[in-house]
Amino acid sequence: MKEAVVSKGPKVEIIDSPIPKPEADQLITKVVVSGSNPKDWKLPLWMGATRNEGDDIAGIVHEVGENVWEFKPGDRVAAFHEMMSPGGSYAEYAVAWQHTTFHIPKKTTFEEAAAIPLAAMTAALGLYQRLRLPQPWAPATSPTPLVIYGAASAVGAYAVQLAVKSKIHPLICVAGASAAHVESLIDRSQGDVIVDYRTGDDAVVSALQKAVAASGKPLLHAFDAVSEKGSFQNLAQVLASEGGAKLTLVLPGNDYSGLPPSIEWSTTNVGAVHKDDKDFGYVYFRYLARGLQEGWFKPQPQVVVPGGLGGIQTALEDLRDGKANAVKYVFRIAETEGVE
């Protein structure tokens, strides 16, 4: 099969590899569409490794391991591949564990499905496992202000949708050029607002403070889907200083030691669903599939990059250069040169 491996640069090379075989609790999926994420260019830069970095799988089940009971060959599925392991989604066939695989509703396209796994699970983990906010099936019953910094990003937009489902309001969303996308997700009647980060740090902090004051409640929760360029420093000035404030961040390895001791901070690493948060991953991937079917959960808009695996180089360069505004880059594997 054809497989794309990514090295520092990013530099992408298409190679020939054997079709993987599943372990007992794994599926092999024939990838119709692969998604992409910023980590796909960042990890080769940080770690110096060369590997298939794709983690967002959408396609048709090819083969299942002996313990797999929810899926069978021919099923339409999406899955989150275990990061930094063999069998990624930048290939004709990919590997995933059954607990991070879910059925695609009939009305959901492969392109839409490929935009979901990693980013949506990051959003769910951040809200519910790290910030310990109310679950959608036991929603908030009183005003619960929440700042989502980077609300137009895939992680941010998915966090907004889940927070709305959990009746968490007011949502104080920080966004820029893609504010219109965020506007389509929030509920102004519940006090939700958008703050434009392009106005500068001082103006952002002032606008956040004003929005928190209007809620009449202290700010105890913030989800930083940016975690750089001043985001968490701004949040530190707005989160309640008398204790009880929680902040979760998405970039590992940053120095967050300057955050005030009054703030309980954490990092949200989606790889947790392949470690300590397996049960959470199992439940939420199936719940998100139900949300797709019912219409309250919507995929981040997609841009199909031409050339299949041959388009990954350009897409990762654009991700590196900050050109992806409120979109996910996806690849139709059948468009790859040499794929039959």
Side-chain angles (χ1 to χ4, degrees):
M1 68 172 187
K2 297 296 182 185
E3 179 176 29
V5 294
V6 186
S7 55
K8 181 179 177 179
K11 182 177 181 297
V12 178
E13 181 185 5
I14 298 175
I15 61 174
D16 289 301
S17 300
I19 296 174
K21 299 295 290 184
E23 293 184 20
D25 292 294
Q26 291 179 333
L27 301 82
I28 306 302
T29 296
K30 182 175 174 59
V31 185
V32 177
V33 180
S34 171
S36 59
N37 294 282
K39 63 149 279 290
D40 300 351
W41 71 265
K42 290 178 180 179
L43 286 186
L45 176 65
W46 294 341
M47 304 179 74
T50 297
R51 63 176 162 244
N52 177 343
E53 287 288 353
D55 296 315
D56 286 337
I57 301 166
I60 297 168
V61 176
H62 170 70
E63 185 180 356
V64 301
E66 61 184 19
N67 291 343
V68 174
W69 55 276
E70 284 184 272
F71 308 97
K72 64 184 185 304
D75 285 349
R76 299 171 75 247
V77 298
F80 173 43
H81 164 260
E82 184 174 2
M83 297 185 295
M84 298 186 290
S85 71
S89 65
Y90 291 160
E92 292 183 71
Y93 295 87
V95 179
W97 297 96
Q98 65 173 334
H99 78 279
T100 57
T101 302
F102 59 96
H103 291 281
I104 302 174
K106 291 178 181 177
K107 66 180 181 180
T108 301
T109 67
F110 288 117
E111 289 79 8
E112 290 171 330
I116 290 168
L118 184 150
M121 187 53 62
T122 303
L125 278 167
L127 290 174
Y128 304 121
Q129 291 294 83
R130 305 296 172 256
L131 296 178
R132 294 292 177 182
L133 285 160
Q135 309 273 354
W137 44 84
T141 56
S142 61
T144 307
L146 167 66
V147 174
I148 299 176
Y149 213 114
S153 69
V155 171
Y158 291 144
V160 170
Q161 293 184 67
L162 285 168
V164 168
K165 187 66 174 173
S166 288
K167 298 184 179 177
I168 296 166
H169 298 285
L171 295 177
I172 304 165
C173 300
V174 181
S178 303
H181 177 50
V182 180
E183 191 71 54
S184 71
L185 304 174
I186 63 174
D187 185 350
R188 292 272 182 179
S189 73
Q190 297 294 321
D192 298 351
V193 296
I194 300 174
V195 172
D196 190 339
Y197 70 82
R198 296 171 297 179
T199 56
D201 289 340
D202 290 345
V204 167
V205 170
S206 176
L208 290 174
Q209 290 171 334
K210 181 180 177 182
V212 172
S215 76
K217 297 274 189 175
L219 179 65
L220 298 177
H221 303 94
F223 192 136
D224 189 350
V226 178
S227 305
E228 60 183 354
K229 300 175 182 174
S231 61
F232 57 91
Q233 292 91 339
N234 291 345
L235 288 167
Q237 297 181 61
V238 185
L239 281 157
S241 58
E242 59 269 24
K246 291 184 175 68
L247 166 64
T248 196
L249 306 115
V250 296
L251 285 187
N254 270 5
D255 182 6
Y256 301 121
S257 60
L259 288 167
S262 59
I263 296 174
E264 179 187 328
W265 64 269
S266 63
T267 53
T268 295
N269 183 340
V270 69
V273 298
H274 289 121
K275 298 183 178 73
D276 295 339
D277 288 316
K278 287 182 180 179
D279 289 353
F280 184 91
Y282 177 86
V283 170
Y284 261 92
F285 274 128
R286 283 143 189 81
Y287 187 62
L288 294 172
R290 187 164 183 241
L292 290 169
Q293 175 62 32
E294 293 179 347
W296 57 262
F297 190 74
K298 295 178 173 58
Q300 186 80 337
Q302 311 95 55
V303 170
V304 178
V305 181
L309 298 176
I312 294 172
Q313 174 88 42
T314 298
L316 296 188
E317 289 172 353
D318 286 350
L319 282 173
R320 179 197 63 195
D321 297 339
K323 295 180 180 178
N325 291 317
V327 296
K328 292 286 280 184
Y329 293 137
V330 302
F331 315 94
R332 294 173 178 146
I333 305 303
E335 293 182 2
T336 308
E337 186 177 343
V339 169
E340 296 179 0

